[in-house]
Amino acid sequence: MPLNILAYGVNGAQMNAGTQALIDAGHNVRAFTRSPDSAEHWKTLGADIVTGDMADVDVLRRASEGQDALFLHVPLIIDPNDDRSAYGLNALKAAKEAGINRVIWNTGGPIMDPSSKTDASAILLRTLQDEGFSFLGLTPITYMENLLGSWTIDGLTQDKLFYPTPAQFKMQWGAAADFGRVADKALQGELPNEVIAVGGPAALDGDELANIIAQVLGRNLSFETMEVGEFQRQLSEVAGPQVGGMIAGMYGGIQANPEQFEPSFIIDADAIESRFDIKLTTLADWVSKHKILFA
């Protein structure tokens, strides 16, 4: 059944493809964006548009009117003066006042301490629970879209696949579009009021990752662990030093203690597929779809 869904964070790598998946599934998507330029893009895809800032509750309230559900993501903050916690709380406040009770929430990453008074995701989770929302939180393992960064693409000219994880470290790379596909299925029934991890169908180490990409692209590639400082430098150029430092710090921990971190990057993909009646996107299929971007 088509629903009216208000989507936040639509221009970011974590939500762009997922929002498109909701449109493809036949839902009436209202895309919230602060960028007038991107508004035209979403209009051509059939979305309704609201432009504004998540700091403005009045704008969020107007955006929420007439909607059945939220597809919510609060982006990582590039400007240290922005308040990520306030953005998420503003979206929920506006939803509540507009009569929206159903929320699919892309957490953007793991919630390390649900009792934290400072972590934006922990605060948002408690608000969803305390305010009586019906919700499903989706925590990404690692996005396949991460492979489109300069840290990876530039290395292809050397027949190398660079990424800041040890070669034998296994992760279940997931496609961002699958978050929209899970959201579509979940919204057809009762939301479970829980947070689950979503990734790809297979746990791949660096060598397996490089071999699959090489086969699709028809070339030879070998995996090489990227130095964390170089990864941080490149990521900071596009995401800002605060985000770059935070994410690079996680990969530094992985390089130092891979056995400790690896279990948190593995999920039961069969359970996800069975529960939501979908087939998670394989890495080979995802690379095939994005082949031109690897050229």
mmCIF file with all atom_site columns, all heavy atoms in Angstrom, residues 138-150:
data_model
loop_
_atom_site.group_PDB
_atom_site.id
_atom_site.type_symbol
_atom_site.label_atom_id
_atom_site.label_alt_id
_atom_site.label_comp_id
_atom_site.label_asym_id
_atom_site.label_entity_id
_atom_site.label_seq_id
_atom_site.pdbx_PDB_ins_code
_atom_site.Cartn_x
_atom_site.Cartn_y
_atom_site.Cartn_z
_atom_site.occupancy
_atom_site.B_iso_or_equiv
_atom_site.pdbx_formal_charge
_atom_site.auth_seq_id
_atom_site.auth_comp_id
_atom_site.auth_asym_id
_atom_site.auth_atom_id
_atom_site.pdbx_PDB_model_num
ATOM 1   N N   . LEU A 1 138 ? 17.513 1.111  11.934 1.00 0.00 ? 138 LEU A N   1
ATOM 2   C CA  . LEU A 1 138 ? 18.367 0.316  11.049 1.00 0.00 ? 138 LEU A CA  1
ATOM 3   C C   . LEU A 1 138 ? 19.797 0.830  11.171 1.00 0.00 ? 138 LEU A C   1
ATOM 4   O O   . LEU A 1 138 ? 20.076 1.981  10.818 1.00 0.00 ? 138 LEU A O   1
ATOM 5   C CB  . LEU A 1 138 ? 17.893 0.422  9.598  1.00 0.00 ? 138 LEU A CB  1
ATOM 6   C CG  . LEU A 1 138 ? 16.429 0.042  9.335  1.00 0.00 ? 138 LEU A CG  1
ATOM 7   C CD1 . LEU A 1 138 ? 16.065 0.324  7.888  1.00 0.00 ? 138 LEU A CD1 1
ATOM 8   C CD2 . LEU A 1 138 ? 16.173 -1.409 9.696  1.00 0.00 ? 138 LEU A CD2 1
ATOM 9   N N   . THR A 1 139 ? 20.683 -0.018 11.661 1.00 0.00 ? 139 THR A N   1
ATOM 10  C CA  . THR A 1 139 ? 22.078 0.369  11.851 1.00 0.00 ? 139 THR A CA  1
ATOM 11  C C   . THR A 1 139 ? 22.935 -0.229 10.736 1.00 0.00 ? 139 THR A C   1
ATOM 12  O O   . THR A 1 139 ? 22.972 -1.446 10.574 1.00 0.00 ? 139 THR A O   1
ATOM 13  C CB  . THR A 1 139 ? 22.598 -0.121 13.212 1.00 0.00 ? 139 THR A CB  1
ATOM 14  O OG1 . THR A 1 139 ? 21.867 0.536  14.257 1.00 0.00 ? 139 THR A OG1 1
ATOM 15  C CG2 . THR A 1 139 ? 24.085 0.189  13.374 1.00 0.00 ? 139 THR A CG2 1
ATOM 16  N N   . PRO A 1 140 ? 23.622 0.604  9.964  1.00 0.00 ? 140 PRO A N   1
ATOM 17  C CA  . PRO A 1 140 ? 24.457 0.078  8.873  1.00 0.00 ? 140 PRO A CA  1
ATOM 18  C C   . PRO A 1 140 ? 25.710 -0.603 9.403  1.00 0.00 ? 140 PRO A C   1
ATOM 19  O O   . PRO A 1 140 ? 26.324 -0.140 10.360 1.00 0.00 ? 140 PRO A O   1
ATOM 20  C CB  . PRO A 1 140 ? 24.813 1.331  8.069  1.00 0.00 ? 140 PRO A CB  1
ATOM 21  C CG  . PRO A 1 140 ? 24.744 2.447  9.072  1.00 0.00 ? 140 PRO A CG  1
ATOM 22  C CD  . PRO A 1 140 ? 23.649 2.073  10.023 1.00 0.00 ? 140 PRO A CD  1
ATOM 23  N N   . ILE A 1 141 ? 26.068 -1.719 8.770  1.00 0.00 ? 141 ILE A N   1
ATOM 24  C CA  . ILE A 1 141 ? 27.352 -2.348 9.056  1.00 0.00 ? 141 ILE A CA  1
ATOM 25  C C   . ILE A 1 141 ? 28.455 -1.541 8.375  1.00 0.00 ? 141 ILE A C   1
ATOM 26  O O   . ILE A 1 141 ? 29.246 -0.862 9.002  1.00 0.00 ? 141 ILE A O   1
ATOM 27  C CB  . ILE A 1 141 ? 27.365 -3.812 8.570  1.00 0.00 ? 141 ILE A CB  1
ATOM 28  C CG1 . ILE A 1 141 ? 26.318 -4.639 9.343  1.00 0.00 ? 141 ILE A CG1 1
ATOM 29  C CG2 . ILE A 1 141 ? 28.749 -4.427 8.744  1.00 0.00 ? 141 ILE A CG2 1
ATOM 30  C CD1 . ILE A 1 141 ? 26.588 -4.761 10.829 1.00 0.00 ? 141 ILE A CD1 1
ATOM 31  N N   . THR A 1 142 ? 28.506 -1.578 7.069  1.00 0.00 ? 142 THR A N   1
ATOM 32  C CA  . THR A 1 142 ? 29.411 -0.773 6.252  1.00 0.00 ? 142 THR A CA  1
ATOM 33  C C   . THR A 1 142 ? 28.772 -0.633 4.877  1.00 0.00 ? 142 THR A C   1
ATOM 34  O O   . THR A 1 142 ? 28.299 -1.622 4.322  1.00 0.00 ? 142 THR A O   1
ATOM 35  C CB  . THR A 1 142 ? 30.794 -1.452 6.090  1.00 0.00 ? 142 THR A CB  1
ATOM 36  O OG1 . THR A 1 142 ? 31.378 -1.639 7.372  1.00 0.00 ? 142 THR A OG1 1
ATOM 37  C CG2 . THR A 1 142 ? 31.724 -0.593 5.255  1.00 0.00 ? 142 THR A CG2 1
ATOM 38  N N   . TYR A 1 143 ? 28.742 0.578  4.346  1.00 0.00 ? 143 TYR A N   1
ATOM 39  C CA  . TYR A 1 143 ? 28.100 0.807  3.060  1.00 0.00 ? 143 TYR A CA  1
ATOM 40  C C   . TYR A 1 143 ? 29.019 0.464  1.895  1.00 0.00 ? 143 TYR A C   1
ATOM 41  O O   . TYR A 1 143 ? 30.198 0.831  1.890  1.00 0.00 ? 143 TYR A O   1
ATOM 42  C CB  . TYR A 1 143 ? 27.687 2.271  2.920  1.00 0.00 ? 143 TYR A CB  1
ATOM 43  C CG  . TYR A 1 143 ? 26.502 2.667  3.745  1.00 0.00 ? 143 TYR A CG  1
ATOM 44  C CD1 . TYR A 1 143 ? 26.656 3.446  4.891  1.00 0.00 ? 143 TYR A CD1 1
ATOM 45  C CD2 . TYR A 1 143 ? 25.216 2.267  3.384  1.00 0.00 ? 143 TYR A CD2 1
ATOM 46  C CE1 . TYR A 1 143 ? 25.559 3.823  5.650  1.00 0.00 ? 143 TYR A CE1 1
ATOM 47  C CE2 . TYR A 1 143 ? 24.119 2.634  4.142  1.00 0.00 ? 143 TYR A CE2 1
ATOM 48  C CZ  . TYR A 1 143 ? 24.291 3.411  5.273  1.00 0.00 ? 143 TYR A CZ  1
ATOM 49  O OH  . TYR A 1 143 ? 23.210 3.767  6.020  1.00 0.00 ? 143 TYR A OH  1
ATOM 50  N N   . MET A 1 144 ? 28.458 -0.187 0.885  1.00 0.00 ? 144 MET A N   1
ATOM 51  C CA  . MET A 1 144 ? 29.179 -0.364 -0.372 1.00 0.00 ? 144 MET A CA  1
ATOM 52  C C   . MET A 1 144 ? 29.530 0.987  -0.977 1.00 0.00 ? 144 MET A C   1
ATOM 53  O O   . MET A 1 144 ? 30.561 1.128  -1.653 1.00 0.00 ? 144 MET A O   1
ATOM 54  C CB  . MET A 1 144 ? 28.333 -1.195 -1.343 1.00 0.00 ? 144 MET A CB  1
ATOM 55  C CG  . MET A 1 144 ? 28.100 -2.632 -0.880 1.00 0.00 ? 144 MET A CG  1
ATOM 56  S SD  . MET A 1 144 ? 26.985 -3.532 -1.994 1.00 0.00 ? 144 MET A SD  1
ATOM 57  C CE  . MET A 1 144 ? 26.781 -5.077 -1.090 1.00 0.00 ? 144 MET A CE  1
ATOM 58  N N   . GLU A 1 145 ? 28.697 1.981  -0.725 1.00 0.00 ? 145 GLU A N   1
ATOM 59  C CA  . GLU A 1 145 ? 28.960 3.333  -1.246 1.00 0.00 ? 145 GLU A CA  1
ATOM 60  C C   . GLU A 1 145 ? 30.275 3.905  -0.738 1.00 0.00 ? 145 GLU A C   1
ATOM 61  O O   . GLU A 1 145 ? 30.838 4.822  -1.359 1.00 0.00 ? 145 GLU A O   1
ATOM 62  C CB  . GLU A 1 145 ? 27.794 4.256  -0.879 1.00 0.00 ? 145 GLU A CB  1
ATOM 63  C CG  . GLU A 1 145 ? 26.561 4.119  -1.739 1.00 0.00 ? 145 GLU A CG  1
ATOM 64  C CD  . GLU A 1 145 ? 25.750 2.858  -1.512 1.00 0.00 ? 145 GLU A CD  1
ATOM 65  O OE1 . GLU A 1 145 ? 26.011 2.116  -0.530 1.00 0.00 ? 145 GLU A OE1 1
ATOM 66  O OE2 . GLU A 1 145 ? 24.831 2.584  -2.310 1.00 0.00 ? 145 GLU A OE2 1
ATOM 67  N N   . ASN A 1 146 ? 30.792 3.383  0.371  1.00 0.00 ? 146 ASN A N   1
ATOM 68  C CA  . ASN A 1 146 ? 32.108 3.839  0.854  1.00 0.00 ? 146 ASN A CA  1
ATOM 69  C C   . ASN A 1 146 ? 33.204 3.553  -0.170 1.00 0.00 ? 146 ASN A C   1
ATOM 70  O O   . ASN A 1 146 ? 34.262 4.193  -0.156 1.00 0.00 ? 146 ASN A O   1
ATOM 71  C CB  . ASN A 1 146 ? 32.470 3.144  2.162  1.00 0.00 ? 146 ASN A CB  1
ATOM 72  C CG  . ASN A 1 146 ? 31.604 3.605  3.319  1.00 0.00 ? 146 ASN A CG  1
ATOM 73  O OD1 . ASN A 1 146 ? 30.791 4.512  3.177  1.00 0.00 ? 146 ASN A OD1 1
ATOM 74  N ND2 . ASN A 1 146 ? 31.773 2.983  4.468  1.00 0.00 ? 146 ASN A ND2 1
ATOM 75  N N   . LEU A 1 147 ? 32.964 2.590  -1.036 1.00 0.00 ? 147 LEU A N   1
ATOM 76  C CA  . LEU A 1 147 ? 33.963 2.212  -2.042 1.00 0.00 ? 147 LEU A CA  1
ATOM 77  C C   . LEU A 1 147 ? 34.053 3.207  -3.193 1.00 0.00 ? 147 LEU A C   1
ATOM 78  O O   . LEU A 1 147 ? 34.883 3.051  -4.081 1.00 0.00 ? 147 LEU A O   1
ATOM 79  C CB  . LEU A 1 147 ? 33.645 0.818  -2.589 1.00 0.00 ? 147 LEU A CB  1
ATOM 80  C CG  . LEU A 1 147 ? 33.701 -0.308 -1.556 1.00 0.00 ? 147 LEU A CG  1
ATOM 81  C CD1 . LEU A 1 147 ? 33.123 -1.590 -2.141 1.00 0.00 ? 147 LEU A CD1 1
ATOM 82  C CD2 . LEU A 1 147 ? 35.125 -0.527 -1.075 1.00 0.00 ? 147 LEU A CD2 1
ATOM 83  N N   . LEU A 1 148 ? 33.194 4.225  -3.170 1.00 0.00 ? 148 LEU A N   1
ATOM 84  C CA  . LEU A 1 148 ? 33.220 5.244  -4.216 1.00 0.00 ? 148 LEU A CA  1
ATOM 85  C C   . LEU A 1 148 ? 34.015 6.473  -3.791 1.00 0.00 ? 148 LEU A C   1
ATOM 86  O O   . LEU A 1 148 ? 34.067 7.471  -4.517 1.00 0.00 ? 148 LEU A O   1
ATOM 87  C CB  . LEU A 1 148 ? 31.792 5.654  -4.595 1.00 0.00 ? 148 LEU A CB  1
ATOM 88  C CG  . LEU A 1 148 ? 30.931 4.548  -5.209 1.00 0.00 ? 148 LEU A CG  1
ATOM 89  C CD1 . LEU A 1 148 ? 29.511 5.036  -5.444 1.00 0.00 ? 148 LEU A CD1 1
ATOM 90  C CD2 . LEU A 1 148 ? 31.551 4.044  -6.505 1.00 0.00 ? 148 LEU A CD2 1
ATOM 91  N N   . GLY A 1 149 ? 34.630 6.426  -2.606 1.00 0.00 ? 149 GLY A N   1
ATOM 92  C CA  . GLY A 1 149 ? 35.444 7.544  -2.154 1.00 0.00 ? 149 GLY A CA  1
ATOM 93  C C   . GLY A 1 149 ? 36.774 7.600  -2.876 1.00 0.00 ? 149 GLY A C   1
ATOM 94  O O   . GLY A 1 149 ? 37.232 6.615  -3.478 1.00 0.00 ? 149 GLY A O   1
ATOM 95  N N   . SER A 1 150 ? 37.425 8.743  -2.803 1.00 0.00 ? 150 SER A N   1
ATOM 96  C CA  . SER A 1 150 ? 38.715 8.914  -3.469 1.00 0.00 ? 150 SER A CA  1
ATOM 97  C C   . SER A 1 150 ? 39.744 7.926  -2.947 1.00 0.00 ? 150 SER A C   1
ATOM 98  O O   . SER A 1 150 ? 40.629 7.480  -3.685 1.00 0.00 ? 150 SER A O   1
ATOM 99  C CB  . SER A 1 150 ? 39.226 10.346 -3.268 1.00 0.00 ? 150 SER A CB  1
ATOM 100 O OG  . SER A 1 150 ? 39.412 10.623 -1.876 1.00 0.00 ? 150 SER A OG  1
#
